[in-house]
Amino acid sequence: MLVFEGAAEVRLVNGSRRCAGRVEVKHNSKWGTVCGDYWSMNDAAVVCKQLGCGSAVGAPQYGYFGPGSGPIWMDDVGCNGTESALSDCEHRQWGENDCDHTYDAGVTCSEYTGFRLVNGSTACAGRVEVQVLGTWGTLCASHWDLLDAHVLCRQLNCGFAESVPGGEHFGRGTGPVWRESFHCDGTEAHLGQCPVITLGASPCSHGNNAAVVCAGECWKNRLVGGGSRCDGRVEIFQNGTWGRVLDDQWDMQEASVVCRQLRCGEAGTAYNPPKPERGTGPVGLRGVRCAGHEASLALCNTSLPESAPAAGVAEDVGVICWGSRRVRLVNGSGRCAGRVEIYYQGIWGTVCDDGWDLSDAAVVCHQLGCGGAVEAAGSARFGKGSGQIWLDGVNCSGAEAALWDCPARPWGQHDCGHKEDAGVVCSEFMALRLENSDGCSGRLQVFYNGTWGSICSNSMTLDTVSLACKELGCGDGGSLETRLPYGNVSGPTWLDNMQPGAGLSIFLPMQIPPEAV
């Protein structure tokens, strides 16, 4: 590997917007592509940063945005993510490669270049505003929730989110209302890392702006070393420093206060972490006695380090809150297909397929922001899991917000083996839009895998048209027009032979080779 200095110009081509597309680099006054060998999110992050396009949300390979032409300037790119330009990263000699253009690398950037809270009484409360390519605008509140707010508060060094007031609590915004909706699980370091969908056709007004009240920095707590923001070793923020919390009689009363303060639900477990998981930094508190009803650890009877008893009496403390529960899909082709696993009591476990059906799968897909359920797989379709089997006899209606809200046997009670592990295939369809639209007519596009793409009209019926119109908020029906002056098609073609399922408001994406369209 060789390291080259100097900033070669870079651009993104053939995407649906300026901050997504095939990566092209200008060398010796000529534009060329980048081979996708070993192409990673670190490489994509550098491209996004160089273009002022926010954070990287995708690093597609293999000609995802179509094959380029001319020279392939870079191969085996290896950025660490901190470089200011792609040409500063390790790569082979300019023009030296073993690729063809079917391997051309691509990038999808978030376009978000700033976040702030406006019109609040402190820097940690206010109307949420997001900067997109230099322009500040507000967010629609229709899908804004505490998990999204927690991530933003942490990103702004404002602790955790206390509430997400609605209406015009912090006044009406000005400028654009961004139609993007974040779907965070609460563990992300900043909003740019969260999955994003674009809302439908109905505009959102300044009377419905997203807002948040964060706890602020004073006596801020966090849980570290767990699998979510709601479980792990307890730390406290004082005088600009995170410190450990040590105690020799840590129990559920203290744990309840921590979980309540972090908006993580009820406490499930209070524990002392094993030696490999103990902290090594400064001590913030030693000795905590709570009644259990306090709003924060600061209101409990506490001892500061200088008045601490002899070292070795107290140990690091940890908490597992009910809010730590998470769901994921593993061993599939992407994050929206695979074996269902639930994080509970600090341990990942599977779900038994007894009675597993599309209504259950629909809850998982909705919870993950993955569109609708295409298949409810059983019999360890995505391989056998290991360890705990957390749920059995799940019986969702399909309207629940989370899988654990559905009726089921008590946690950990089952008569299954891992050969019966349940799985899910979601549509991954995130949103529909009409390109070159004058309202409710235009070229129909679907947002999938971070990119807007077109839809072939093959086998499209009036039932499908009706379904699309409903999804777009454009009435209950319409007509199909195949020859309208909406300009040339750009981006991938995601759908062909599209037919709606029986009562399911979903589309099943599949990438169609360009030559087949």
Side-chain angles (χ1 to χ4, degrees), residues 453-472:
S454 300
I455 299 173
C456 278
S457 59
N458 297 338
S459 302
M460 186 179 288
T461 67
L462 287 179
D463 287 339
T464 308
V465 173
S466 174
L467 179 57
C469 291
K470 290 177 182 177
E471 292 281 351
L472 290 164

Side-chain angles (χ1 to χ4, degrees), residues 436 443 483-487:
N436 302 313
R443 179 183 294 114
R483 289 180 173 85
L484 289 177
Y486 294 127

Side-chain angles (χ1 to χ4, degrees), residues 247 249-256 267 269-271 288 290 317-319:
D247 194 64
Q249 298 181 42
W250 185 256
D251 60 23
M252 290 294 289
Q253 289 175 299
E254 287 76 40
S256 294
T269 303
Y271 69 100
V288 183
C290 302
V317 299
V319 170

Side-chain angles (χ1 to χ4, degrees), residues 13-187:
V13 178
N14 210 34
S16 58
R17 50 192 173 88
R18 183 179 86 82
C19 291
R22 181 177 63 249
V23 181
E24 294 194 352
V25 181
K26 194 174 186 180
H27 178 66
N28 287 341
S29 301
K30 189 171 184 178
W31 287 101
T33 63
V34 176
C35 181
D37 287 347
Y38 306 111
W39 188 249
S40 70
M41 287 293 286
N42 281 344
D43 307 325
V46 173
V47 173
C48 294
K49 184 195 312 178
Q50 186 175 352
L51 291 172
C53 283
S55 58
V57 295
Q61 304 163 286
Y62 310 121
Y64 180 87
F65 290 103
S69 59
I72 299 174
W73 282 130
M74 300 178 74
D75 190 10
D76 295 345
V77 178
C79 305
N80 61 33
T82 62
E83 297 86 353
S84 58
L86 187 65
S87 53
D88 293 337
C89 301
E90 291 186 350
H91 60 92
R92 293 168 69 170
Q93 295 279 0
W94 287 100
E96 180 182 310
N97 66 83
D98 53 5
C99 298
D100 58 48
H101 285 295
T102 61
Y103 288 83
D104 284 345
V107 164
T108 302
C109 308
S110 69
E111 298 189 356
Y112 308 120
T113 51
F115 299 89
R116 67 186 182 187
L117 299 178
V118 176
N119 216 32
S121 58
T122 71
C124 292
R127 183 176 63 248
V128 179
E129 293 196 352
V130 179
Q131 188 182 45
V132 178
L133 301 180
T135 300
W136 286 99
T138 59
L139 280 181
C140 189
S142 59
H143 292 278
W144 181 253
D145 61 21
L146 270 175
L147 290 178
D148 306 325
H150 280 311
V151 174
L152 181 58
C153 290
R154 182 164 57 247
Q155 177 182 344
L156 297 176
N157 293 317
C158 285
F160 58 90
E162 290 189 331
S163 63
V164 285
E168 299 179 20
H169 189 83
F170 294 105
R172 294 175 66 88
T174 58
V177 180
W178 304 125
R179 297 165 81 182
E180 284 76 14
S181 169
F182 293 92
H183 287 261
C184 308
D185 64 21
T187 63

Side-chain angles (χ1 to χ4, degrees), residues 235-307:
E235 290 190 346
I236 191 165
F237 188 81
Q238 294 174 299
N239 302 319
T241 303
W242 284 104
R244 299 153 62 198
V245 176
L246 306 184
D247 194 64
D248 58 350
Q249 298 181 42
W250 185 256
D251 60 23
M252 290 294 289
Q253 289 175 299
E254 287 76 40
S256 294
V257 173
V258 172
C259 292
R260 185 182 309 114
Q261 185 175 357
L262 292 176
R263 299 297 190 272
C264 284
E266 297 297 320
T269 303
Y271 69 100
N272 294 107
K275 190 172 183 178
E277 298 175 15
R278 294 175 190 168
T280 57
V283 176
L285 286 178
R286 187 190 297 263
V288 183
R289 296 294 176 270
C290 302
H293 56 73
E294 296 87 349
S296 73
L297 279 184
L299 301 176
C300 299
N301 184 8
T302 61
S303 300
L304 296 177
E306 55 265 27
S307 61

